[in-house]
Amino acid sequence: MVARKTLLLAGAGDLAQRATGHFLARFPDARIIGVRRQPPPTASHIEWLAGDLTDPACIAALPRGITHIIYAATPDARHADAYRRIFITAPDILLAGLDTTALERLLFVSSTAVYADDCMDATAAPAWTDEQTPTTPDSFNGQILLEAEQRFQQHLPARTVTLRCAGLYGPGRTYLLRRLLAGHAHIPPMAQPRWINRIHIDDAARACVHLLALPEAASCYIGSDGHPQSMRTFYEALATMLGAPAPAEEALPHTCGKRLSNARLLASGFELHWPDPLAAYASLIKAAQHTPQ
């Protein structure tokens, strides 16, 4: 008899909750347990545990037999202390207090901030960044996330997979569109090119489950749609779709960005539903136009 799968959502925000539907599609009788400080009031297929990941008592209350974990917690502020609390302190407490006897795989949702921007030649597109590219983060969040990746690997070296996500967008994540409509989005001058990378949140959620269930997985994957965009070209195209004013130029800190390769993820058998970010944003815009106000 095949043992029942039990998925723990350590941090159960939008991404993790979306992933549960795809997990249940693979394992219909799976048990889903979500940890949040304030669980949603509505009933769902998730068994909610109200608690804080940095509280050992919360971890002690988790059941035995957890087979899969998605660690997708988010800090409550953008400063180093908040990041260390959620990406260093909380994982240490979780892994020290959790029974991992039945654990098959832990998926840690990290960020492509673990890679430094490529600005060697501002007149040309940066080289492709992949999983073999050295991780030399130039921001505090990238540095802390890289440390978290390493700690997960040290604790569970054969059972941890890291998904380094590019910028998430999709339903409920239309901040860029609102900024463009309000005329608050800016683009760099022509002589200061900048590259940006995206992945649709549903593709990211599907990638999480794909990697949780993959029989043989590498230690890390880049989660990107594989279509990096010139910020200037991309913002101007979105403004045209919206009928919004063209974004104004603004001198920005000189970072060229990265061009992220998703070749390893695709080679593992994963297929994107939204490989073209402009087509995906067009769908979001169309849906918004047909939503009653």
Side-chain angles (χ1 to χ4, degrees):
M1 180 177 178
V2 178
R4 183 187 186 192
K5 305 297 184 185
T6 299
L7 172 63
L8 170 65
L9 308 180
D14 187 24
L15 175 62
Q17 289 190 58
R18 286 174 184 271
T20 62
H22 302 294
F23 194 83
L24 288 169
R26 287 177 179 260
F27 308 109
D29 67 339
R31 181 183 184 188
I32 313 291
I33 300 167
V35 176
R36 286 184 66 166
R37 287 188 291 272
Q38 294 182 325
T42 55
S44 74
H45 53 269
I46 301 172
E47 299 175 31
W48 291 107
L49 175 63
D52 192 308
L53 292 171
T54 61
D55 179 4
C58 172
I59 305 307
L62 290 169
R64 298 175 64 86
I66 289 170
T67 59
H68 296 79
I69 299 172
I70 296 177
Y71 194 96
T74 55
D76 54 12
R78 191 172 176 81
H79 57 70
D81 287 345
Y83 269 71
R84 291 197 68 83
R85 179 176 181 274
I86 208 67
F87 291 120
I88 304 299
T89 303
D92 283 351
I93 291 171
L94 173 69
L95 294 173
L98 184 69
D99 169 39
T100 59
T101 305
L103 185 66
E104 298 174 25
R105 185 161 294 159
L106 180 148
L107 187 286
F108 174 49
V109 180
S110 184
S111 164
T112 55
V114 299
Y115 300 108
D117 282 347
D118 183 350
C119 288
M120 294 182 67
D121 183 357
T123 65
W128 285 99
T129 293
D130 63 18
E131 293 82 1
Q132 303 303 316
T133 301
T135 47
T136 55
D138 46 18
S139 61
F140 79 85
N141 56 313
Q143 292 162 4
I144 293 170
L145 284 164
L146 181 59
E147 182 181 348
E149 290 183 15
Q150 294 166 345
R151 292 167 86 98
F152 274 118
Q153 287 290 344
Q154 289 166 1
H155 276 91
L156 299 167
R159 292 180 283 177
T160 293
V161 176
T162 295
L163 180 63
R164 295 169 174 165
C165 283
L168 296 172
Y169 72 98
R173 291 173 175 261
T174 55
Y175 178 62
L176 174 57
L177 299 181
R178 297 196 301 274
R179 286 175 59 216
L180 285 164
L181 282 168
H184 295 158
H186 296 87
I187 54 176
M190 188 75 74
Q192 186 190 343
R194 180 181 290 192
W195 291 80
I196 55 176
N197 301 265
R198 294 283 189 271
I199 184 169
H200 193 286
I201 190 166
D202 194 53
D203 277 336
R206 291 174 51 248
C208 288
V209 175
H210 170 78
L211 295 176
L212 280 178
L214 197 63
E216 298 291 336
S219 61
C220 73
Y221 294 81
I222 288 176
S224 169
D225 60 25
H227 286 79
Q229 306 282 320
S230 155
M231 176 187 276
R232 185 185 188 93
T233 303
F234 190 60
Y235 281 23
E236 288 177 343
L238 290 180
T240 299
M241 286 184 191
L242 290 164
E249 286 190 0
E250 180 179 85
L252 302 171
H254 189 61
T255 57
C256 302
K258 299 175 275 277
R259 291 200 303 153
L260 299 172
S261 169
N262 63 359
R264 176 181 286 185
L265 182 61
L266 297 184
S268 73
F270 183 72
E271 295 183 3
L272 290 155
H273 285 176
W274 297 103
D276 180 348
L278 282 176
Y281 268 106
S283 177
L284 290 173
I285 292 168
K286 182 177 180 181
Q289 291 171 342
H290 290 85
T291 298
Q293 300 299 313

